[in-house]
Amino acid sequence: MEGKTRAQGSQELLDWLGLKLIPGVGSVTFARLVEAFGSPGAALGAPLAALEALPRLRPQVARAVHRQAWESDPQEQLERLDKLGGRLLIQSDPDYPPFLAGIHAPPPLLYLLGDLAPCHEGGVAVVGSRAMSPYGRRLAAELGRDVARHGVSLVSGLARGVDAVAHAGALEAGGHSVGVLGCGLDVVYPRENRELIARMAAQGAVVSEFPLGAQPVAANFPVRNRVISGLSRAVVVVEAGLKSGSLITARHALEQGREVFAVPGPVGSATSAGSNQLIKEGARLLTSSRDLFEPGALPPGPGPGAPRPMEPGELSPAEAELLELVGPEPQHIDQIGRASGLAPGELATLLLNLVLAERVVELPGKLYVLNL
């Protein structure tokens, strides 16, 4: 334990964590600061004038970096993580999952309980409705077990419903399962998953990009969904409504060059409307795990034909077009949707991308405003 504690307190880890804990430094700004100055430590020690000269770095963020005005003390975070039995995984660490490292603006660091190594070849994400039907419960459990029996890591979000059932199925089959949290590792959410989280930390892995103590606020979950797909070779949507976060995970998967499968449901069923829509849009139909593991169904990984990860802050044409509709005054998502003509799922995904690119700020109540 002594060696682990020394490693956790190394200056490199403190620099990475310290830069990420500064308000306004998201994944994109973090990458741009490291690119400009060479390392997190160099960015933290940079002259204020050099920070202020960096394009699109807001003056208040430049001053916060210069003052090292982090939200919580990095050393304290590392000590608390060590007491939990966890570790901090930074992007330069060889243990950082290569699939995740290849996405656009990956998390600079992950808080980790357990072992992520079995997921390095890419897992299979199984996601879906919190209010699942008996049909969805049966399929989620079967998929969890079958993914584990094929020696593939099962990835999901540790939410109620499909996520938790799929995780439990994988563990019961003796497999490896990764849960991606939308809160700090020390925050048990939902509370009924306390035992499941403990089992996963021992038999698989639980990860979060959010600092210890971070609460499960609504804005965190769409952000964590890109990590679920980023750790995976394929995403399976079991049951999902038209406004389900699972659709955001699926659209991130497509952007990241992953395969997307969807389980069909009864016509008129609210819990299957989203997954049925995905099939209409071209997702592969899945009726059993045999569809998932037939030859050629699972891609070996992002290859030459996969979408090119964008540079930090780079926007796609669709994102750039939507950005023009977001103004300096807060607008509700419905207002932006009417002006854009986009379907709700596509609109939500594009707005999230703009938030992740730090070009737009999401305010409470589904309000969006330019990040000036």
Side-chain angles (χ1 to χ4, degrees), residues 234-237 250-251 253-254 258-262 278 282-285:
V235 170
V236 181
V237 179
R251 289 187 168 90
L254 292 172
R258 279 45 167 170
E259 193 71 67
V260 174
F261 295 80
L278 285 174
R284 297 184 60 173
L285 185 146

Side-chain angles (χ1 to χ4, degrees), residues 222 243-244 248 251-252 322 333 342-355 366 368:
K243 294 185 178 180
S244 171
I248 294 178
R251 289 187 168 90
H252 277 307
L322 184 62
I333 188 172
L342 295 169
E346 185 179 5
L347 174 65
T349 303
L350 290 174
L351 282 172
L352 174 60
N353 289 347
L354 291 173
V355 170
K366 289 293 182 181
Y368 293 85

Side-chain angles (χ1 to χ4, degrees), residues 26-362:
S27 297
V28 168
T29 294
F30 190 103
R32 291 176 59 237
L33 285 166
V34 171
E35 182 180 9
F37 297 104
S39 71
L44 288 168
L48 179 58
L51 289 164
E52 290 179 330
L54 194 64
R56 292 209 316 272
L57 185 66
R58 288 177 291 147
Q60 61 266 41
V61 177
R63 292 192 294 269
V65 172
H66 181 66
R67 297 197 315 270
Q68 300 184 14
W70 37 67
E71 293 176 298
S72 58
D73 182 71
Q75 183 65 55
E76 181 186 1
Q77 285 270 321
L78 289 177
E79 290 171 357
R80 289 169 58 192
L81 183 59
D82 190 54
K83 289 178 181 177
L84 282 176
R87 62 176 292 203
L88 191 72
L89 202 56
I90 60 177
Q91 201 176 339
S92 62
D93 193 310
D95 290 337
Y96 191 97
F99 266 65
L100 185 60
I103 72 170
H104 173 53
L109 51 86
L110 293 171
Y111 294 77
L112 167 67
L113 292 173
D115 181 15
L116 264 181
C119 197
H120 280 198
E121 297 302 314
V124 168
V126 177
V127 296
S129 175
R130 288 171 170 81
M132 62 188 166
S133 69
Y135 165 77
R137 175 181 290 276
R138 176 176 62 82
L139 279 171
E142 288 177 3
L143 282 167
R145 290 193 295 266
D146 289 348
V147 167
R149 288 166 182 159
H150 279 82
V152 178
S153 186
L154 186 288
V155 185
S156 198
L158 267 168
R160 296 182 180 94
V162 166
D163 292 26
V165 170
H167 283 308
L171 296 177
E172 288 163 8
H176 184 268
S177 193
V178 179
V180 185
L181 297 181
C183 55
L185 284 186
D186 57 338
V187 178
V188 178
Y189 179 82
R191 293 190 180 276
E192 62 263 31
N193 280 353
R194 181 180 297 275
E195 182 180 346
L196 178 60
I197 292 172
R199 288 173 62 199
M200 290 183 62
Q203 193 173 328
V206 181
V207 299
S208 176
E209 65 181 295
F210 301 103
L212 297 180
Q215 295 302 303
V217 298
N220 290 355
F221 293 96
V223 174
R224 72 92 196 260
N225 289 350
R226 87 193 196 286
V227 177
I228 294 174
S229 56
L231 287 168
S232 306
R233 284 186 274 169
V235 170
V236 181
V237 179
V238 174
E239 282 186 319
L242 288 173
K243 294 185 178 180
S244 171
S246 301
L247 302 190
I248 294 178
T249 307
R251 289 187 168 90
H252 277 307
L254 292 172
E255 291 176 357
Q256 295 163 356
R258 279 45 167 170
E259 193 71 67
V260 174
F261 295 80
V263 175
V267 174
S269 167
T271 55
S272 291
S275 43
N276 288 344
Q277 181 65 32
L278 285 174
I279 294 169
K280 287 176 63 177
E281 293 174 358
R284 297 184 60 173
L285 185 146
L286 184 139
T287 56
S288 78
S289 61
R290 289 191 298 274
D291 298 328
L292 191 59
F293 293 106
E294 65 183 11
L298 281 183
R308 175 184 65 85
M310 294 185 293
E311 296 299 319
E314 182 183 354
L315 300 181
S316 70
E319 291 162 1
E321 186 175 343
L322 184 62
L323 184 63
E324 295 182 3
L325 300 177
V326 182
E329 297 298 326
Q331 297 180 76
H332 192 269
I333 188 172
D334 292 343
Q335 182 181 354
I336 300 171
R338 286 192 295 271
S340 68
L342 295 169
E346 185 179 5
L347 174 65
T349 303
L350 290 174
L351 282 172
L352 174 60
N353 289 347
L354 291 173
V355 170
L356 291 171
E358 298 163 28
R359 307 295 288 274
V360 167
V361 175
E362 181 180 0

Side-chain angles (χ1 to χ4, degrees), residues 6-20 30 38-42 44 74 78 88 90-94 109:
R6 281 201 302 268
Q8 290 284 30
S10 74
Q11 190 59 51
E12 183 182 22
L13 288 184
L14 289 170
D15 289 342
W16 278 74
L17 185 52
L19 185 58
K20 188 64 182 69
F30 190 103
S39 71
L44 288 168
L78 289 177
L88 191 72
I90 60 177
Q91 201 176 339
S92 62
D93 193 310
L109 51 86

